[in-house]
């Protein structure tokens, strides 16, 4: 990618980020794994109920400290906002994919799917507004399963009428399980299999 294309990508990318990640700080996260007698990977000497989670909004991997004697479930949505937490003491820091447990890695794809379905309106809005990254690459093409044919169908159809749901997209252009395709792209971004990010905050 030449420098002008990179700058164009960066500018568009940041505008996408602003729309998609409307909150600067996460308010909710989904539990990927936890240890009742864990040691923090991000803060030296911190011990307790250590939770590995994924933020609902920015989709970044987080390390959380849970309250003593708290009960947690894999896939549980927990409140991590600034005020009124009842199960989480603090957000300890961000995690890299390589540092999370194997159990957390195993749970990641299904929990990301869960997040995409729970936030359907947000991701459908992305499909409705996604723009080209460079003159030759459209951001929709970077979602697995959306080639040029589906991309053109989406662009043409959304000009006529915005999509309202995943099922609306499927019925109008024939693209099945789009939530799974979006989730797959998010996992690729988290695992750094791809350099460009459409959905995951950095």
């Amino acid at each position: 990618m030449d420098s002008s294309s990179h700058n164009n990508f960066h500018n568009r990318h940041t505008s996408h980020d602003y729309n998609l990640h409307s909150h600067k700080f996460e308010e909710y996260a989904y539990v990927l794994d936890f240890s009742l007698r864990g040691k923090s990977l991000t803060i030296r000497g911190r011990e307790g109920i250590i939770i590995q989670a994924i933020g609902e909004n920015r989709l970044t991997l987080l390390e959380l400290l849970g309250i003593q004697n708290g009960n947690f479930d894999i896939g549980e949505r927990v409140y991590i906002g600034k005020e009124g937490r009842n199960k989480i003491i603090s957000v300890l820091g961000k995690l890299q994919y390589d540092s999370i447990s194997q159990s957390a890695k195993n749970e990641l794809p299904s929990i990301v799917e869960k997040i995409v379905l729970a936030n359907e309106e947000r991701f459908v809005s992305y499909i409705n507004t996604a723009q080209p990254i460079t003159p030759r690459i459209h951001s929709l093409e970077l979602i697995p399963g959306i080639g040029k044919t589906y991309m053109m169908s989406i662009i043409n159809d959304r000009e006529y009428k915005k999509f309202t749901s995943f099922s609306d997209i499927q019925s109008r252009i024939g693209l099945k399980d789009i939530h799974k395709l979006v989730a797959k792209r998010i996992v690729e971004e988290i695992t750094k299999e791809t350099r460009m990010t459409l959905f995951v905050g950095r």
Side-chain angles (χ1 to χ4, degrees), residues 28-129:
Y28 290 93
Y30 286 71
V31 176
L32 296 170
D33 194 15
F34 61 92
S35 174
L36 297 178
R37 295 180 184 83
K39 293 185 177 182
S40 171
L41 298 175
T42 58
I43 298 180
R44 185 186 295 274
R46 186 64 61 90
E47 299 181 0
I49 299 182
I50 301 295
I51 299 162
Q52 295 181 350
I54 177 172
E56 181 174 58
N57 192 52
R58 298 185 65 80
L59 300 163
T60 46
L61 299 175
L62 301 170
E63 186 178 62
L64 314 175
L65 181 64
I67 61 167
Q68 286 299 332
N69 304 317
N71 293 315
F72 296 92
D73 296 307
I74 302 300
E76 178 182 356
R77 183 176 184 253
V78 292
Y79 179 68
I80 61 170
K82 288 193 169 292
E83 295 179 13
R85 295 180 193 152
N86 59 357
K87 296 185 75 172
I88 302 300
I89 295 172
S90 62
V91 178
L92 300 177
K94 287 186 180 180
L95 294 170
Q96 296 299 316
Y97 177 75
D98 290 344
S99 66
I100 65 174
S101 70
Q102 187 58 51
S103 293
K105 290 176 181 176
N106 293 344
E107 295 291 343
L108 185 65
S110 62
I111 291 175
V112 168
E113 259 189 52
K114 186 176 180 178
I115 292 172
V116 172
L117 283 171
N119 294 271
E120 181 173 4
E121 183 179 342
R122 171 178 142 205
F123 290 102
V124 171
S125 176
Y126 182 86
I127 300 295
N128 280 326
T129 58

Side-chain angles (χ1 to χ4, degrees), residues 9-26:
F9 163 68
H10 178 74
N11 292 339
R12 287 189 170 119
H13 171 65
T14 50
S15 66
H16 280 182
D17 263 3
Y18 181 78
N19 293 329
L20 201 66
H21 310 300
S22 53
H23 300 289
K24 188 173 181 183
F25 299 101
E26 292 285 7

Side-chain angles (χ1 to χ4, degrees), residues 20 45 48 58 132 163 195-196:
L20 201 66
R58 298 185 65 80
F163 296 107
R195 287 190 312 160
M196 292 183 184

